[in-house]
Amino acid sequence: MAYKIDEGACINCGACEAACPAGAISEVNDKRSIDADKCAGCGSCVGECPVEAISEA
């Protein structure tokens, strides 16, 4: 299952992007975004987010 980032909660720290082994996370409009087609659903990003802005889509 893919994950999503709550844009309202995201502080754009980049921790999730660094943790993503699939390269599915990138910066879009000063926030991080997950490309659902690339997301492997591993959840690596979830534990790295300091503001808990990532959840299952």
Side-chain angles (χ1 to χ4, degrees):
M1 174 172 279
Y3 285 82
K4 64 179 180 177
I5 298 175
D6 177 349
E7 289 186 14
C10 178
I11 59 171
N12 201 26
C13 67
C16 59
E17 185 174 1
C20 181
I25 303 174
S26 60
E27 186 175 9
V28 177
N29 297 326
D30 297 324
K31 298 289 180 180
R32 301 295 164 168
S33 178
I34 298 175
D35 181 336
D37 292 333
K38 290 183 180 178
C39 179
C42 67
S44 306
C45 56
V46 176
E48 295 300 315
C49 182
V51 294
E52 299 179 359
I54 304 172
S55 61
E56 291 184 33

